[in-house]
Amino acid sequence: MLLHDTLFIGGDWVAPAGTGTIEVVSPHTEEVVARVPDGTPADMDRAVAAARDAFDNGPWPRMTMAERAAVVGRLAGVYDSRQGEMAETITLEMGCPITFSQLAQAPQPLGMLRYFAELGQTFPVEEERPGLFGPVIVRREPAGVVAAIVPWNVPQFVIMSKLAPALVAGCTVVIKPAPETPLDSYLLAEMIREAGVPAGVVNIVAAGRQTGEHLVSHPGVDKVAFTGSTAAGRRIAGICGERLKRCTLELGGKSAAIILDDCDLPSAMGFLSMASLLNNGQACVAQTRILASRQRYDEVVQAIADMVAGQRVGDPRDPATGIGPLVAERQRERVEGYIRAGIEEGAKPVVGGLDRPFDRGWYVAPTVFADATNDMRIAREEIFGPVLTVIPYQDEADAIRIANDSDYGLSGSVWTADPEHGVAVARQVRTGTYGVKMNTMDPNAPFGGFKDSGIGREGLSAYLEHKSIARLG
C-alpha cells in the first residue's frame, strides 16, 4: 500500500492541519491501495497564502513569458522521463485500461506542456495600436492566483489543461485533485520540484467537496478553473458570480456522432470505438448518442453492437483489456440505473444489460441500446459509463436537429467519406469541439462547451487579463 502523510504547499512537503485521510480503493479489486491526507480548509488557507505570496512578491509573474516557458519546458522534460510511472499510477487509482493510460492519460498532458512551452516563447504580451488621441498599448498580464479543481476521470489531462497555460501566463496555482484520484498529483509534485518551479507557484491539496468550496470562495483566489459535473459547475458559478471572481467551467456532455450514409462502417468502427468508449465511457466528450439514418439503421446498430461486443472487459492492468471497471461503486450503481431506465422506457439492449461481468470490481456490461428516441433519459442525460444509444434520423437536416436537441454542447462528430461535407455539417452543430471522421482535443485549439457544458474556454488567454495603456505623444 502507498502511504503519503504530507501535502505539497509552498514548494515543500508539509504536515496536514487535520488527521483525516482519503483511502484510494482499486476499482478492480475493491481493496484499499493507498492512503493520503484529506485536506482541510486550514490546509487550503495555507496553500492559497503560499500562492498569493508567490504571485504578489515572488519572481514568477515578473519573469518574461519566455523565461516562464523555459521552466515549463524543463517540466515537460521531467514529465517525459516518468510517463510510464504516471500511466501506471492513473490505471491503479481509477481503473482505466493501461493501454489508454499509455496512449492518452500520460502523453496528452506531456503534449500540453510542450505546446504551451513553445507558445510562450513567441506569444505577444504587448502590442501597440493607434488610438483616438495617441498610441494605445494593449498588454496581457497574468490573472493572479488560480484555483484549479479537477475530476477523477482524466486527472492529469485536466490538471495540465489548466496548469500549463496558467504557468506560462504567470499565474500561481492551487490544485485540488478529486479524492478518488490523488496519487497522480503526488507524482506531479515531485516533477515540479525537480524541474525547479519556484516555491509557492504550484500547491496541491487533495480534498473533498466542502474543502473545495472553501477554496472557490477564498478571497485570495482571483480565478477558478473547474472541470466536473454541471450541477457542481452551477454552484461554483454562483459563488464566483457573487464575488465577481473570474471562472472557467468545463462541464458535462451528451455528444452525438452523426453517421452519414456514405460512411464506410468497417473503417470507422475503430475510431468510433475510441471516441465513444474511451476511458470506460467515463469521458465528458464521449460520443454516446449514435445517430444513424433509417435507411442504414439496422446495419449501423449491428456494426456498433459488434464493435462493443468485441471489447475485452477485465483487469485494467492487462494490455488486452479494452474496458475496465468504473471508478467507484456509486458510479456503477449510477450507470446500472440508467441501463434499467433505458429498458423501462422501451429501448432495446442489443449488447450488454444488467448482468455484471464479474463478482468483484466495479464493472458493468458495455451496453448498446437500439430502438431509442432522443427524448429518453439515456439520450438526454450524461451516463458516464460504457452505454451507447443508437437513434434513427430521417435525413441530414434531421440528424443535425437531433444533435442540437440537447441541454449540452461540449463535443460531437460526423462520420462520412467526404471530409469537406463533414466540415459543413460541423458548422451547423452547436458544440465547443467537433471532429470529422475522428474525435479529439487539440492543445492548439480552445476547449470548452456551449449551453450546460460550461462557460469559457481553456487556453492561454483564459489566464491572462488585458490592460490598456493610452498616452499622449
Side-chain angles (χ1 to χ4, degrees), residues 4-331:
H4 293 285
D5 57 5
T6 56
L7 302 169
F8 187 66
I9 299 175
D12 205 355
W13 298 106
V14 303
T19 58
T21 58
I22 295 171
E23 289 188 337
V24 181
V25 181
S26 164
H28 172 59
T29 66
E30 301 183 35
E31 297 174 349
V32 177
V33 295
R35 189 173 290 116
V36 306
D38 186 1
T40 66
D43 294 313
M44 282 301 183
D45 289 342
R46 187 173 178 182
V48 173
R52 187 81 262 166
D53 183 63
F55 186 80
D56 293 340
N57 304 307
W60 190 250
R62 292 156 189 84
M63 297 165 63
T64 67
M65 184 175 285
E67 289 171 336
R68 293 191 296 266
V71 177
V72 172
R74 289 205 305 269
L75 177 58
V78 177
Y79 206 105
D80 189 18
S81 69
R82 304 186 71 175
Q83 272 194 90
E85 189 178 354
M86 181 62 78
E88 291 173 359
T89 297
I90 295 175
T91 288
L92 171 70
E93 63 187 349
M94 64 79 55
C96 71
I98 186 63
T99 50
F100 182 72
S101 286
Q102 294 168 340
L103 176 69
Q105 294 274 28
Q108 285 279 58
L110 173 60
M112 281 186 277
L113 280 170
R114 286 173 170 166
Y115 170 75
F116 285 106
E118 183 177 349
L119 178 64
Q121 295 293 336
T122 58
F123 189 83
V125 175
E126 286 190 359
E127 61 180 285
E128 188 169 284
R129 305 176 184 175
L132 290 176
F133 305 105
V136 177
I137 296 171
V138 178
R139 177 175 171 79
R140 298 165 182 87
E141 297 186 352
V145 174
V146 173
I149 302 176
V150 301
W152 46 260
N153 61 326
V154 280
Q156 280 295 299
F157 178 88
V158 177
I159 284 176
M160 214 54 73
S161 71
K162 306 175 192 314
L163 181 63
L167 290 180
V168 171
C171 299
T172 59
V173 185
V174 177
I175 300 170
K176 191 203 83 66
E180 294 85 357
T181 53
L183 302 181
D184 59 279
S185 66
Y186 278 85
L187 187 55
L188 174 62
E190 294 174 7
M191 299 180 196
I192 287 168
R193 293 191 74 183
E194 185 176 345
V197 178
V201 170
V202 182
N203 308 271
I204 304 175
V205 178
R209 179 175 297 179
Q210 182 178 358
T211 301
E213 186 163 317
H214 180 79
L215 174 62
V216 169
S217 60
H218 200 291
V221 170
D222 298 300
K223 174 187 167 63
V224 176
F226 171 77
T227 297
S229 72
T230 298
R234 286 194 176 98
R235 174 62 181 162
I236 290 171
I239 294 172
C240 291
E242 290 174 358
R243 292 159 176 78
L244 295 179
K245 194 188 298 277
R246 277 70 175 148
C247 70
T248 49
L249 306 173
E250 190 267 289
L251 309 178
K254 192 67 181 178
S255 302
I258 299 174
I259 300 181
L260 298 182
D261 281 345
D262 66 348
C263 173
D264 179 54
L265 289 178
S267 65
M269 284 304 105
F271 294 101
L272 187 58
S273 173
M274 175 62 74
S276 59
L277 296 173
L278 74 165
N279 206 25
N280 307 334
Q282 298 170 127
C284 54
V285 296
Q287 311 293 289
T288 55
R289 288 188 295 155
I290 312 297
L291 310 189
S293 74
R294 292 196 179 275
Q295 289 86 346
R296 297 190 71 184
Y297 185 76
D298 292 343
E299 183 184 358
V300 171
V301 168
Q302 188 61 55
I304 298 293
D306 292 344
M307 177 265 288
V308 173
Q311 296 289 322
R312 178 172 174 177
V313 180
D315 187 343
R317 298 166 298 181
D318 185 344
T321 293
I323 297 178
L326 301 182
V327 72
E329 184 176 17
R330 71 174 191 282
Q331 188 66 16

Side-chain angles (χ1 to χ4, degrees), residues 444-467:
N444 192 27
F447 178 65
F450 292 18
K451 299 182 279 189
D452 286 359
S453 290
I455 297 173
R457 298 291 183 270
E458 291 290 6
L460 185 55
S461 296
Y463 298 91
L464 293 167
E465 293 277 18
H466 284 77
K467 175 189 287 183

